[in-house]
Amino acid sequence: MFKLIVNPGTDQMWEIPLAPGVTTLGSNPGGEFLIAHETVAAAHCQILVNDSGASLKDLGSDYGTFVNHALVAESALIPGQTITLGEVDLKLVLDDSPGGSATADAPLAPRMPALQQTDEPAPSTDQGGTYKHRLPPVSPTEDNFFSLLPGVIDYPIQGRGLILLVAGTVFFVLLQLVASLASIGPYGGVVTGLAGVVVTGYLFSYAKSIITSTIENENEPPSWPDFTDITEDILMPFGQLLALSVLTFGPAIILRWWHPLGEEYARAVMIAAAGLGGLLAPMGMLALAVFDSVAALNPIALIWSILRIPGHYLVAAAAFELVIGASFLAEDLIGSLIPVPVLPGLISVFLNLYLISAGMRILGLLYRTQREQLGWFGRHKVTG
């Protein structure tokens, strides 16, 4: 029926056949399949296979179980999805071996690391014939954030990036045109508002995918996300962005009218609140991309994370906000420089998408190179 490919696409790739019933994955030497890694719990998760398909349940692991980079407690599974236990990737695929399924009595021989010496014992079988495997620890990344930072300039046009930018520009311009035409009618305000939610939610979903693909060592922009479920693909990302905005800039907006220290200090207090919000915003965006949950917007955890990497974060935050700030100014600037109908709108949307891609790349690189220092997994456990 199904099987898991551990470490897909690497020299350490091996397979776990999933027989009908429950398969427990973890680092327990006495378990069915041993995934020996410091981020994998002894009993990390269970996968249930039956006539209806496959599903997964996390068993309370400290480092989390992810499906396509989203933290989950339980999830239905479909072939092609990537399951991540801590920092170990597995890919669920259909088992096309003769007979239609592989069982634990006839496991596939593992591929041992070809270039790495290890003191661990060679794979062996237990009395039931089930192979046990040991994975080499994930090597710390050798990427240097400051050396990678200049590469964000041409990142948006790497690979198919230019095609994606053009396609995105056409899509968003057409959507704006439709919304403008619909706004003429009696329900124009409602239509305009709904169009704004769709554009914002979809764009935010894409922004998060840029961060997660960067974390996974992808060096070109990901494809535009699927648009199959309005709740998952539009409303939830929109809600996450709304929550981030309330957390970071809500206090400054409130202090614009409420002056707890009196009129004398009102402006200074509001500026301080806005500055703190601007400082938290990039880390909040990064946390939403990694955990895909508004529960990640814990201000204490965000501040603590900033204090763990103050130098790297301040550079990343400054670069991120410079790029995102430029995207907000693009339309007015281009409109004044190119007084031609339609063309300024096309150019400004293209430039906005380009700058957003570059900004999200910055945050992805920050996490990719500083993940150990941030120490989110196992310390700031987020659920929900």
Side-chain angles (χ1 to χ4, degrees), residues 11 21 145 162-163 180 198 232-233 251 256 288 300 364 374 376:
D11 290 337
F145 174 71
L162 184 58
I163 296 174
S180 297
V198 171
E232 294 285 339
D233 302 327
R256 173 69 177 81
L288 285 175
I300 296 176
L374 281 170
W376 282 352

Side-chain angles (χ1 to χ4, degrees), residues 232-255:
E232 294 285 339
D233 302 327
I234 301 296
L235 297 182
M236 287 183 63
F238 180 82
Q240 290 176 351
L241 178 58
L242 183 61
L244 177 62
S245 301
V246 170
L247 171 70
T248 53
F249 298 110
I253 294 173
I254 293 173
L255 291 170

Side-chain angles (χ1 to χ4, degrees), residues 338-345:
I338 309 176
V340 178
V342 181
L343 187 58

Side-chain angles (χ1 to χ4, degrees), residues 83-122:
I83 301 166
T84 305
L85 310 185
E87 295 181 356
V88 179
D89 285 339
L90 307 89
K91 188 171 184 178
L92 181 70
V93 298
L94 289 173
D95 190 346
D96 56 1
S97 60
S101 66
T103 68
D105 295 327
L108 297 174
R111 295 187 184 182
M112 293 302 294
L115 301 176
Q116 180 170 344
Q117 297 296 323
T118 177
D119 295 330
E120 301 291 349

Side-chain angles (χ1 to χ4, degrees), residues 224-350:
W224 287 97
D226 293 333
F227 185 8
T228 56
D229 187 320
I230 191 169
T231 300
E232 294 285 339
D233 302 327
I234 301 296
L235 297 182
M236 287 183 63
F238 180 82
Q240 290 176 351
L241 178 58
L242 183 61
L244 177 62
S245 301
V246 170
L247 171 70
T248 53
F249 298 110
I253 294 173
I254 293 173
L255 291 170
R256 173 69 177 81
W257 290 278
W258 178 50
H259 307 145
L261 300 182
E263 295 290 339
E264 182 180 359
Y265 300 102
R267 183 177 177 82
V269 171
M270 184 185 71
I271 292 174
L276 178 60
L279 182 66
L280 288 177
M283 187 62 80
M285 178 70 210
L286 180 57
L288 285 175
V290 171
F291 294 105
D292 196 31
S293 169
V294 294
L297 297 178
N298 181 332
I300 296 176
L302 296 180
I303 293 172
W304 182 244
S305 297
I306 292 172
L307 293 177
R308 285 178 171 273
I309 52 170
H312 288 78
Y313 181 74
L314 289 177
V315 172
F320 172 81
E321 294 183 355
L322 178 65
V323 169
I324 300 302
S327 71
F328 285 109
L329 299 175
E331 185 171 0
D332 291 337
L333 178 61
I334 294 172
S336 63
L337 294 176
I338 309 176
V340 178
V342 181
L343 187 58
L346 286 169
I347 296 176
S348 63
V349 171
F350 180 89

